[in-house]
Amino acid sequence: MLADDIYLTIAGPSEGLYKEKGSKFLAYAWPVESEEAIKNYVSELKTKYYDARHHCYAWQLGTDGMNFRANDDGEPSGTAGKPIHGQIRSHELTNVLIVVVRYFGGTKLGTSGLIHAYKTAAADALAQAVVVEKTVDTQFTLRFPYEAMNDVMRVVKEEEPQIIEQSFDLSCVMMLAVRLSKAEQLRTRLEKIDYLTLDD
């Protein structure tokens, strides 16, 4: 079992394909961080494949397994979204969207045929994807005067948070991202530095 602040997702977009009795199932997988991004990808595909009969999808966000959705888009209930979501779950992935676009070939596949087709298309998209391990991070914004710079840089060097942005004008501002399990230690060390303020 992975640590609470580690999760698996895919590195970038991937595609899969399944054909059965003239029907074509085009599968697309993306790494996603928000429902906003999910909506955009789904509507892009609906525009691109406007002549397809179904655009079925499933997604999962977050590390607790509770934030997900499966959509059959007009296919018989449970024959499309669920098998797609099942593939995300069986690969233990999150922050992933899979959309399967179906072009009907004239022959009905039946319930079990549809479940198999959507599952296989989704599995093919994931088979083409690169799975990566990511950490659940939290962010801090630090504000400090120049005289605190050495102390701040020492902590940053030793704790190794990711520096998202920094600006050194009249005073210094840094935005850091750090893995959840290391956040408390980083915060404690930073709070000991004189004249430094910390915003979550």
Side-chain angles (χ1 to χ4, degrees):
M1 182 62 205
L2 296 171
D4 287 347
D5 63 348
I6 295 178
Y7 64 91
L8 298 177
T9 188
I10 57 177
S14 64
E15 297 178 14
L17 174 66
Y18 179 73
K19 292 179 180 173
E20 177 74 29
K21 295 181 180 164
S23 277
K24 264 186 2 188
F25 296 83
L26 314 172
Y28 296 87
W30 288 275
V32 286
E33 296 286 334
S34 66
E35 290 190 42
E36 195 53 43
I38 290 165
K39 281 186 194 125
N40 292 340
Y41 284 130
V42 172
S43 65
E44 259 174 48
L45 278 187
K46 284 186 171 176
T47 305
K48 185 175 179 183
Y49 298 109
Y50 63 91
D51 55 341
R53 183 170 282 199
H54 304 283
H55 307 81
C56 306
Y57 62 88
W59 54 260
Q60 175 122 0
L61 287 173
T63 53
D64 62 4
M66 304 311 286
N67 193 8
F68 65 89
R69 189 154 303 147
N71 185 310
D72 295 316
D73 192 34
E75 291 282 30
S77 178
T79 60
K82 251 185 161 162
I84 297 170
H85 185 239
Q87 286 305 300
I88 296 173
R89 278 217 195 266
S90 69
H91 286 78
E92 295 184 345
L93 300 173
T94 191
N95 290 15
V96 171
L97 162 69
I98 301 176
V99 182
V100 179
V101 178
R102 180 188 183 192
Y103 280 93
F104 184 56
T107 306
K108 293 199 166 185
L109 303 181
T111 304
S112 60
L114 285 174
I115 290 170
H116 177 73
Y118 281 103
K119 177 183 168 183
T120 308
D124 190 41
L126 290 178
Q128 312 306 320
V130 176
V131 173
V132 289
E133 196 176 275
K134 289 195 168 184
T135 55
V136 180
D137 294 341
T138 184
Q139 292 186 358
F140 299 115
T141 303
L142 328 178
R143 301 171 202 284
F144 54 93
Y146 274 100
E147 45 273 35
M149 173 80 78
N150 287 345
D151 293 334
V152 171
M153 294 320 268
R154 184 180 310 114
V155 172
V156 167
K157 187 167 184 247
E158 288 168 9
E159 297 293 330
E160 299 180 320
Q162 180 191 351
I163 299 172
I164 298 173
E165 53 186 74
Q166 52 188 5
S167 70
F168 304 121
D169 282 331
L170 296 170
S171 68
C172 311
V173 180
M174 281 178 112
M175 192 190 274
L176 305 176
V178 67
R179 187 174 159 176
L180 219 47
S181 56
K182 292 182 166 186
E184 200 49 48
Q185 185 173 317
L186 177 64
R187 171 190 283 283
T188 305
R189 290 192 64 187
L190 289 170
E191 282 174 345
K192 288 178 182 164
I193 297 171
D194 291 340
Y195 312 116
L196 179 142
T197 59
L198 201 53
D199 310 326
D200 286 353

